[in-house]
Amino acid sequence: MARNIYVLDTCVLVHDPNAIFKFAEHDVYIPLTVIDELDKFKEEQGRRGWSAREFFRIYDSLDTDAMHDPKKGAKLGEKGGKLFVFNSELRLKRQIEAGLSLSSKLADNVIIRSTQQIKEDSASRKVVLVTKDRGLLIRARGWEVMAENFRSDLVRVCARF
């Protein structure tokens, strides 16, 4: 079976902080922009704050050095999947395209561009953006990025390009 790459959006981790473990033998990428958004939420009361804190507890339990190494990745279980943190700031700052702003107001654009960059770096592999944000799915379609809607029990394809 081919190993795919799944790029997770913030809302997936807010919905299910354990989502990184649901991709079995596939690799999971989290752009730094997602980490930044979760960091803003962690002080909040309620579900969103709890989810952000829970994700950071999970993060701390993994091999954090390996997940920041683009060649290693942190192991996510017995089936061989790995977690990578993608430094969207470092890699995309030099490559931003006209119309796809890196402003913090448009974090979705950074996530889309991160997915594009990961695809360029891994041309032989299927790279999919996973989200629960309908607006991001629509934006991804506009930028010809394969995107799927996350469900805890099933990842369904919503857009293919």
Side-chain angles (χ1 to χ4, degrees), residues 9-70:
D9 178 31
T10 311
C11 60
V12 170
L13 297 171
V14 168
H15 175 74
D16 181 357
N18 288 294
I20 60 174
F21 299 109
K22 308 239 168 128
F23 294 89
E25 71 277 3
H26 304 291
D27 293 336
V28 175
Y29 280 68
I30 300 175
L32 272 182
T33 300
V34 170
I35 300 295
D36 292 342
E37 288 185 314
L38 290 170
D39 193 51
K40 291 177 192 173
F41 300 155
K42 72 182 180 191
E43 301 299 324
E44 293 180 8
Q45 298 298 314
R47 172 80 178 156
R48 190 164 74 167
W50 177 87
S51 292
R53 290 186 300 276
E54 182 65 13
F55 171 77
F56 285 122
R57 282 189 284 273
I58 293 166
Y59 170 92
D60 288 340
S61 74
L62 299 171
D63 183 349
T64 56
D65 289 335
M67 77 177 74
H68 289 272
D69 182 332

Side-chain angles (χ1 to χ4, degrees), residues 68-87:
H68 289 272
D69 182 332
K71 294 180 181 164
K72 269 181 132 176
K75 293 180 184 177
L76 288 175
E78 301 301 317
K79 294 187 178 181
K82 294 181 181 180
L83 176 66
F84 298 86
V85 173
F86 181 77
N87 188 338

Side-chain angles (χ1 to χ4, degrees), residues 86-147:
F86 181 77
N87 188 338
S88 50
E89 297 165 12
L90 176 66
R91 298 185 69 191
L92 299 180
K93 186 186 274 186
R94 293 172 271 158
Q95 299 176 20
I96 194 64
E97 297 173 1
L100 195 56
S101 170
L102 280 177
S103 74
S104 59
K105 182 178 178 188
L106 296 174
D108 287 357
N109 288 348
V110 179
I111 295 166
I112 290 168
R113 185 60 187 118
S114 294
T115 305
Q116 290 173 324
Q117 183 63 52
I118 292 164
K119 178 61 180 167
E120 289 169 17
D121 293 349
S122 308
S124 64
R125 295 176 68 189
K126 179 179 173 183
V127 178
V128 181
L129 173 59
V130 181
T131 185
K132 289 198 64 64
D133 179 342
R134 193 71 179 151
L136 181 54
L137 281 171
I138 293 167
R139 291 189 65 72
R141 279 191 192 123
W143 287 96
E144 298 182 350
V145 169
M146 186 180 291

